[in-house]
Amino acid sequence: MGRLVLFLTIIVFFAFSFFSEVQSASFRIINKCRHPIWPGLLSGATSPPLPTTGFLLSAGRSRTITIPRSWSGRIWARTLCGQDSDGKFSCVTADCGSGKVECGGGGAKPPATLAEFTLNGADGLDFYDVSLVDGYNLPMLIVAQGGTRGGCSATGCLVDLNGACPSDLRVARGNGTKSGRGGGVACRSACEAFGDPRYCCSEAYSTPDTCGPSAYSLYFKHACPRAYSYAYDDKTSTYTCASANYLIIFCPLPYTSQKVLGARKDGAPLPLVNKTMMYLSRPHSGSSSSSGPTRTQSIVAYVVAIAVAFFLFCPCLHAL
C-alpha cells in the first residue's frame, strides 16, 4: 500500500508540473539600455495576479517571469527613478504612483511605451502589440518564440524618438517641456499634450470613421511602422501567436539581427523599423505650435546602407 501511495504521489506531482507548464507562458524581460530601468506590470481586471508588479533591472540584465496563459495586461519600463523629497519611490518617466518599486495595481503615467498582451484569446491565439498611443519613453521590441500558430511576428519601436521629439510634445527631466537642443526624456502623445478630442479619439471623434491619424501620430508611425500610433491603428499594429513564450527587450539595437527575430517569414505588411531614417537631436523652436511636428534629419542613403549591412551581416553582432 505504501508503494502505491508513493507511486500515485509521484504521478500526481509530474502531472501537476506538466499542467502548470502548459498553462503558463515565459516572459523574459531584457534591459539593453545603458542605464537601469524599473519594469512595471499591470494586469487586466479579470486576470490572475503576477508574481511581481515591478522591479529593478540593471543595464545588461534580464529577468524571466511566469505568466498565466489566461493573462492580459501591460508591461513598460520606468526610468530615472529614486526616492523623492518625502522618501517615496518615484520615477521621472512612466511612474505608476505607488510610491514603491512594486506598482501594486498602478498603471504607467504617460508618456510611456507599452507592451500590451491578451493571452489565449479568440481561437486560442495570443494578441500582442507595442503602443505609443500614450506617448513614448524607451525603445522596445517584442519577439515571440516557439509559437505553434499565427504570424508570430516581431513588433515594437526600435528607434530612440526622444532626441527629435517635436518641441510641443517633448518632456524634459523636470517633467516639463524643454526648448533648445536635445534634453528630452520622453515624448508625449498629442492627446496628452493638447487634450483635443480629435487627437484623443473621444467625444465626436470616438469611432474609427471619425478619428484618423494626425500629423503627430504619423511622426510615431513613420519611425515605428508596426507600433500603435493612435487609438484605431489596429490593422497594422496588432499581432497574434499561439502558445508562445516572449522576449520583451528594452533599448534593442536599431537593426536587430535575424538570429534574434528568427528565420520565419512573418508576412507582415510593414517593416519592423524604418531603415531609411536615423533620428537625431536638432534645434527646436522655443515656441510651441500645434500645426504639426518638425521634420527630423535623415542620413544619406549610402551611410544607411553601410549601417544596415554592418548590423545585419557582421557575425560579431548577431547576438543582442
Side-chain angles (χ1 to χ4, degrees):
M1 179 62 71
R3 291 183 178 180
L4 178 60
V5 171
L6 178 61
F7 176 75
L8 292 176
T9 301
I10 293 173
I11 292 297
V12 170
F13 172 79
F14 280 106
F16 179 78
S17 299
F18 175 78
F19 181 78
S20 298
E21 182 70 21
V22 169
Q23 295 301 313
S24 63
S26 172
F27 280 32
R28 186 184 176 202
I29 301 175
I30 304 169
N31 181 13
K32 288 292 180 180
C33 304
R34 295 182 179 179
H35 53 78
I37 60 173
W38 286 260
L41 300 93
L42 176 66
S43 298
T46 60
S47 293
L50 298 178
T52 180
T53 58
F55 53 91
L56 166 65
L57 196 59
S58 300
R61 303 301 295 270
S62 68
R63 178 169 174 176
T64 300
I65 301 173
T66 299
I67 305 289
R69 281 288 178 197
S70 57
W71 185 78
S72 66
R74 295 176 165 185
I75 299 174
W76 68 97
R78 297 163 285 173
T79 66
L80 301 170
C81 301
Q83 287 189 332
D84 61 19
S85 57
D86 296 326
K88 294 182 179 179
F89 180 82
S90 64
C91 303
V92 173
T93 78
D95 190 55
C96 57
S98 67
K100 301 177 182 179
V101 174
E102 292 272 351
C103 284
K109 178 182 178 182
T113 312
L114 301 173
E116 302 178 315
F117 290 89
T118 297
L119 302 185
N120 196 24
D123 194 30
L125 292 171
D126 300 340
F127 293 79
Y128 57 95
D129 65 81
V130 167
S131 174
L132 308 181
V133 175
D134 288 342
Y136 168 99
N137 71 328
L138 282 178
M140 177 194 289
L141 173 67
I142 298 176
V143 180
Q145 295 186 316
T148 58
R149 291 184 295 115
C152 300
S153 308
T155 186
C157 183
L158 279 63
V159 181
D160 185 353
L161 300 178
N162 289 331
C165 179
S167 58
D168 39 6
L169 302 183
R170 196 182 320 157
V171 175
R173 189 181 182 110
N175 279 334
T177 58
K178 180 180 177 66
S179 301
R181 191 176 185 85
V185 296
C187 194
R188 296 189 294 174
S189 69
C191 175
E192 184 199 359
F194 309 121
D196 191 318
R198 292 176 299 172
Y199 299 135
C200 299
C201 293
S202 60
E203 298 181 13
Y205 302 91
S206 61
T207 68
D209 293 332
T210 58
C211 190
S214 69
Y216 291 98
S217 70
L218 289 173
Y219 164 73
F220 292 118
K221 195 67 176 179
H222 180 63
C224 303
R226 296 194 192 183
Y228 261 89
S229 60
Y230 77 104
Y232 295 114
D233 197 10
D234 303 82
K235 291 183 179 179
T236 59
S237 305
T238 299
Y239 295 88
T240 61
C241 195
S243 304
N245 297 314
Y246 295 93
L247 301 179
I248 302 169
I249 307 168
F250 292 97
C251 305
L253 290 174
Y255 301 103
T256 303
S257 73
Q258 294 301 310
K259 180 178 179 181
V260 173
L261 298 181
R264 178 195 302 262
K265 294 182 179 180
D266 56 36
L270 292 172
L272 178 60
V273 62
N274 185 344
K275 295 180 180 178
T276 66
M277 297 294 290
M278 295 287 286
Y279 289 84
L280 308 174
S281 297
R282 60 169 296 171
H284 290 266
S285 169
S287 61
S288 294
S289 169
S290 60
S291 60
T294 58
R295 294 181 61 86
T296 57
Q297 296 174 317
S298 63
I299 292 182
V300 292
Y302 75 90
V303 175
V304 173
I306 292 173
V308 172
F310 182 73
F311 279 104
L312 290 182
F313 301 111
C314 177
C316 62
L317 293 177
H318 275 188
L320 279 177

